[in-house]
Amino acid sequence: MANTACFIIVGRNDIPIYEAEVGSAAKREDAAQLHQFILHAALDVVQDLAWTTSAMFLKSVDRFNDLVVSVYVTAGHTRLMLLHDSRNEDGIKSFFQEVHELYIKILLNPLYLPGSRITSTHFDTKVRALARKYL
Amino acid sequence: MGREVAESCVDTMLMEMVAMFSGRFYANKPELAARRIEAIGYQVGHQLSERYTMERPRFSDHLEAIKFICKDFWSEVFKKQIDNLKTNHRGTFVLQDNKFRWLSRVSIDPSSEKETEDPSTPGESKAAQAVSMYLYFPCGIIRGVLSNLGIPCAVSADISSLPTCSFVIRVKA
């Protein structure tokens, strides 16, 4: 079970469309923006790495102290990025796959504009439940 | 994620969509109706591309993406594959479907076969124009799929010989 974990979904135009702190530890005030900062900084690395492989799950692309950034890229170049301190790669891969399915369900909603923020509380609840289950 | 719908429902919905846009909303403006239908197709293509590329690895180049459309995507949406793919290796692809499923119920006007090759005869152009309205939606779908895979393009359809239908994809830049 990861103590710190921050999950964001970044759309094609590098705008984050969903953010969530899914770790079990409480979020520290002085490090409140640090997690998101690390994830955004990792976007450049992901950009380079995504063109070198045709796999979807790029395992860990960047490190910061003892936190690791793992990324999953979809065919439409939507990046699911997770900042965590655990080493459970299979769990993380399953987590990404399940969130990908949830994301597709959101996308299939005809009233959802692709690239806009995901505001569904149902999605939020499900993502947090998946994080508790797999991370 | 799979529940099934009768194909007649899909056919009826497509016919009604074209009738609504070209008959009621933009009654004397076929270009505007065509643009709206194509925009609907674009969003549908966007969504379908995410859904059908979920299981497979990502694409390494344009030709891979086009081949995905010809094989996997076409069989998911139209239950068959594209019969013929041509390219000039400079960004133009022609996808030929010898029996396009959504046009299978459209009758071929017998009077137009007896006419000489004079394209200005009103009967032939009206029939061709009526059929072409049904092709904006699949063109939009193809454009949506390719745009989501990172390939901006323009798609047009060619129905010189029914039921064979060709889609011409021109990749931008």
Side-chain angles (χ1 to χ4, degrees):
Chain A
M1 185 65 199
N3 283 329
T4 35
C6 181
F7 176 65
I8 64 171
I9 302 182
V10 183
R12 308 175 57 93
N13 41 5
D14 297 332
I15 296 178
I17 58 180
Y18 177 74
E19 290 158 334
E21 282 274 345
V22 296
S24 54
K27 202 164 125 179
R28 294 187 347 251
E29 270 314 309
D30 54 345
Q33 275 83 33
L34 187 63
H35 292 166
Q36 291 175 359
F37 183 73
I38 301 170
L39 282 169
H40 286 108
L43 275 177
D44 284 336
V45 184
V46 175
Q47 190 87 331
D48 292 334
L49 207 58
W51 294 113
T52 64
T53 168
S54 67
M56 292 188 141
F57 181 50
L58 316 170
K59 300 189 184 110
S60 68
V61 304
D62 197 14
R63 304 174 53 91
F64 178 80
N65 297 343
D66 61 342
L67 297 173
V68 174
V69 179
S70 296
V71 175
Y72 178 96
V73 187
T74 71
H77 218 58
T78 307
R79 284 142 286 186
L80 315 182
M81 306 179 66
L82 182 70
L83 177 75
H84 57 92
D85 58 1
S86 68
R87 295 283 171 269
N88 179 10
E89 271 203 18
D90 284 335
I92 291 172
K93 184 169 179 170
S94 324
F95 172 70
F96 278 140
Q97 279 171 339
E98 301 258 343
V99 177
H100 188 185
E101 266 212 41
L102 283 176
Y103 172 68
I104 290 182
K105 283 187 186 150
I106 292 265
L107 202 67
L108 288 177
N109 179 3
L111 301 174
Y112 170 72
L113 183 66
S116 61
R117 295 196 66 88
I118 298 178
T119 52
S120 158
T121 48
H122 186 71
F123 181 77
D124 191 45
T125 319
K126 280 241 161 114
V127 168
R128 289 180 194 278
L130 282 174
R132 277 196 297 277
K133 182 175 161 199
Y134 284 113
L135 295 176
Chain B
M1 246 192 303
R3 268 181 292 189
E4 297 187 344
V5 166
E7 192 175 348
S8 55
C9 295
V10 178
D11 283 340
T12 316
M13 190 191 73
L14 295 170
M15 290 189 323
E16 186 57 32
M17 175 173 69
V18 174
M20 200 170 71
F21 275 98
S22 49
R24 297 219 291 271
F25 286 173
Y26 300 106
N28 294 322
K29 292 170 264 186
E31 301 83 24
L32 284 182
R35 290 254 290 273
R36 284 300 298 265
I37 297 178
E38 215 252 351
I40 297 176
Y42 180 81
Q43 175 139 355
V44 172
H46 199 282
Q47 297 164 329
L48 287 181
S49 73
E50 281 280 355
R51 183 173 173 180
Y52 293 138
T53 54
M54 194 178 147
E55 302 296 325
R56 47 161 304 142
R58 293 184 295 121
F59 302 108
S60 38
D61 68 350
H62 291 188
L63 189 57
E64 289 286 319
I66 300 276
K67 280 177 7 185
F68 160 75
I69 293 186
C70 293
K71 295 191 186 147
D72 302 320
F73 186 78
W74 220 256
S75 15
E76 291 273 6
V77 182
F78 301 110
K79 300 203 185 110
K80 65 186 285 287
Q81 297 187 354
I82 284 276
D83 299 301
N84 203 340
L85 169 66
K86 293 188 272 256
T87 174
N88 71 352
H89 294 288
R90 276 196 200 92
T92 303
F93 300 87
V94 180
L95 277 59
Q96 187 180 327
D97 189 336
N98 288 339
K99 195 175 181 317
F100 190 50
R101 204 175 177 90
W102 289 349
L103 291 183
S104 55
R105 311 263 176 268
V106 171
S107 58
I108 306 171
D109 190 5
S111 64
S112 68
E113 290 171 359
K114 293 191 204 134
E115 299 280 353
T116 56
E117 275 102 51
D118 181 8
S120 63
T121 52
E124 186 182 347
S125 66
K126 261 171 68 176
Q129 196 181 34
V131 177
S132 66
M133 286 307 280
Y134 290 91
L135 288 167
Y136 287 113
F137 188 60
C139 288
I141 290 184
I142 298 175
R143 190 168 73 90
V145 175
L146 285 173
S147 300
N148 197 31
L149 299 175
I151 307 173
C153 60
V155 183
S156 58
D158 166 37
I159 33 151
S160 35
S161 52
L162 283 172
T164 299
C165 183
S166 299
F167 294 94
V168 182
I169 301 175
R170 279 178 211 93
V171 180
K172 290 183 192 163

